[in-house]
mmCIF file of all heavy atoms in Angstrom:
data_model
loop_
_atom_site.group_PDB
_atom_site.id
_atom_site.type_symbol
_atom_site.label_atom_id
_atom_site.label_comp_id
_atom_site.label_asym_id
_atom_site.label_seq_id
_atom_site.Cartn_x
_atom_site.Cartn_y
_atom_site.Cartn_z
ATOM 1 N N THR D 1022 105.189 107.627 75.868
ATOM 2 C CA THR D 1022 105.938 106.635 75.044
ATOM 3 C C THR D 1022 107.243 106.369 75.730
ATOM 4 O O THR D 1022 107.962 107.283 76.243
ATOM 5 C CB THR D 1022 106.235 107.233 73.622
ATOM 6 O OG1 THR D 1022 105.017 107.682 73.036
ATOM 7 C CG2 THR D 1022 106.849 106.168 72.736
ATOM 8 N N VAL D 1023 107.599 105.108 75.769
ATOM 9 C CA VAL D 1023 108.865 104.684 76.392
ATOM 10 C C VAL D 1023 109.699 103.906 75.358
ATOM 11 O O VAL D 1023 109.215 102.851 74.899
ATOM 12 C CB VAL D 1023 108.645 103.818 77.614
ATOM 13 C CG1 VAL D 1023 109.955 103.513 78.331
ATOM 14 C CG2 VAL D 1023 107.634 104.430 78.609
ATOM 15 N N ASP D 1024 110.813 104.503 74.970
ATOM 16 C CA ASP D 1024 111.722 103.839 73.990
ATOM 17 C C ASP D 1024 112.899 103.292 74.681
ATOM 18 O O ASP D 1024 113.340 103.728 75.725
ATOM 19 C CB ASP D 1024 112.172 104.976 73.049
ATOM 20 C CG ASP D 1024 111.209 105.162 71.891
ATOM 21 O OD1 ASP D 1024 111.094 104.222 71.147
ATOM 22 O OD2 ASP D 1024 110.615 106.241 71.782
ATOM 23 N N GLY D 1025 113.488 102.318 73.925
ATOM 24 C CA GLY D 1025 114.806 101.876 74.173
ATOM 25 C C GLY D 1025 114.989 100.793 75.227
ATOM 26 O O GLY D 1025 116.028 100.394 75.595
ATOM 27 N N LEU D 1026 113.867 100.245 75.674
ATOM 28 C CA LEU D 1026 113.952 99.103 76.641
ATOM 29 C C LEU D 1026 114.132 97.782 75.857
ATOM 30 O O LEU D 1026 113.679 97.629 74.703
ATOM 31 C CB LEU D 1026 112.690 98.988 77.499
ATOM 32 C CG LEU D 1026 112.463 100.185 78.485
ATOM 33 C CD1 LEU D 1026 111.155 100.022 79.237
ATOM 34 C CD2 LEU D 1026 113.640 100.350 79.434
ATOM 35 N N PRO D 1027 114.854 96.882 76.513
ATOM 36 C CA PRO D 1027 115.112 95.573 75.838
ATOM 37 C C PRO D 1027 113.842 94.780 75.790
ATOM 38 O O PRO D 1027 112.894 94.978 76.546
ATOM 39 C CB PRO D 1027 116.175 94.951 76.739
ATOM 40 C CG PRO D 1027 115.974 95.520 78.055
ATOM 41 C CD PRO D 1027 115.478 96.970 77.823
ATOM 42 N N VAL D 1028 113.843 93.701 75.025
ATOM 43 C CA VAL D 1028 112.846 92.693 75.021
ATOM 44 C C VAL D 1028 112.907 91.898 76.340
ATOM 45 O O VAL D 1028 114.007 91.522 76.806
ATOM 46 C CB VAL D 1028 113.009 91.676 73.828
ATOM 47 C CG1 VAL D 1028 111.986 90.694 73.862
ATOM 48 C CG2 VAL D 1028 112.971 92.482 72.510
ATOM 49 N N GLY D 1029 111.820 91.646 76.938
ATOM 50 C CA GLY D 1029 111.768 90.723 78.087
ATOM 51 C C GLY D 1029 111.467 91.277 79.429
ATOM 52 O O GLY D 1029 111.407 90.482 80.362
ATOM 53 N N LEU D 1030 111.238 92.599 79.565
ATOM 54 C CA LEU D 1030 110.829 93.102 80.837
ATOM 55 C C LEU D 1030 109.386 92.794 81.066
ATOM 56 O O LEU D 1030 108.525 92.852 80.162
ATOM 57 C CB LEU D 1030 111.007 94.650 80.950
ATOM 58 C CG LEU D 1030 112.459 95.162 80.793
ATOM 59 C CD1 LEU D 1030 112.548 96.595 81.190
ATOM 60 C CD2 LEU D 1030 113.382 94.381 81.577
ATOM 61 N N GLY D 1031 108.986 92.639 82.350
ATOM 62 C CA GLY D 1031 107.569 92.334 82.665
ATOM 63 C C GLY D 1031 107.497 90.869 83.092
ATOM 64 O O GLY D 1031 108.370 89.992 82.718
ATOM 65 N N GLU D 1032 106.478 90.601 83.905
ATOM 66 C CA GLU D 1032 106.269 89.259 84.399
ATOM 67 C C GLU D 1032 104.912 88.846 83.987
ATOM 68 O O GLU D 1032 104.031 89.638 83.771
ATOM 69 C CB GLU D 1032 106.413 89.308 85.935
ATOM 70 C CG GLU D 1032 107.684 89.815 86.469
ATOM 71 C CD GLU D 1032 108.914 88.941 86.309
ATOM 72 O OE1 GLU D 1032 108.741 87.697 86.251
ATOM 73 O OE2 GLU D 1032 109.992 89.429 86.144
ATOM 74 N N PRO D 1033 104.713 87.536 83.861
ATOM 75 C CA PRO D 1033 103.414 87.073 83.489
ATOM 76 C C PRO D 1033 102.312 87.388 84.618
ATOM 77 O O PRO D 1033 102.730 87.605 85.726
ATOM 78 C CB PRO D 1033 103.511 85.570 83.312
ATOM 79 C CG PRO D 1033 104.795 85.206 83.974
ATOM 80 C CD PRO D 1033 105.689 86.459 84.016
ATOM 81 N N PHE D 1034 101.134 87.511 84.204
ATOM 82 C CA PHE D 1034 100.025 87.730 85.067
ATOM 83 C C PHE D 1034 100.149 89.047 85.849
ATOM 84 O O PHE D 1034 100.281 90.090 85.225
ATOM 85 C CB PHE D 1034 99.752 86.590 86.058
ATOM 86 C CG PHE D 1034 98.872 85.607 85.367
ATOM 87 C CD1 PHE D 1034 99.405 84.739 84.409
ATOM 88 C CD2 PHE D 1034 97.567 85.582 85.585
ATOM 89 C CE1 PHE D 1034 98.576 83.967 83.671
ATOM 90 C CE2 PHE D 1034 96.720 84.744 84.849
ATOM 91 C CZ PHE D 1034 97.280 83.907 83.912
#
Side-chain angles (χ1 to χ4, degrees):
Chain D
T1022 308
V1023 186
D1024 271 296
L1026 292 178
V1028 179
L1030 298 193
E1032 304 289 329
F1034 273 77

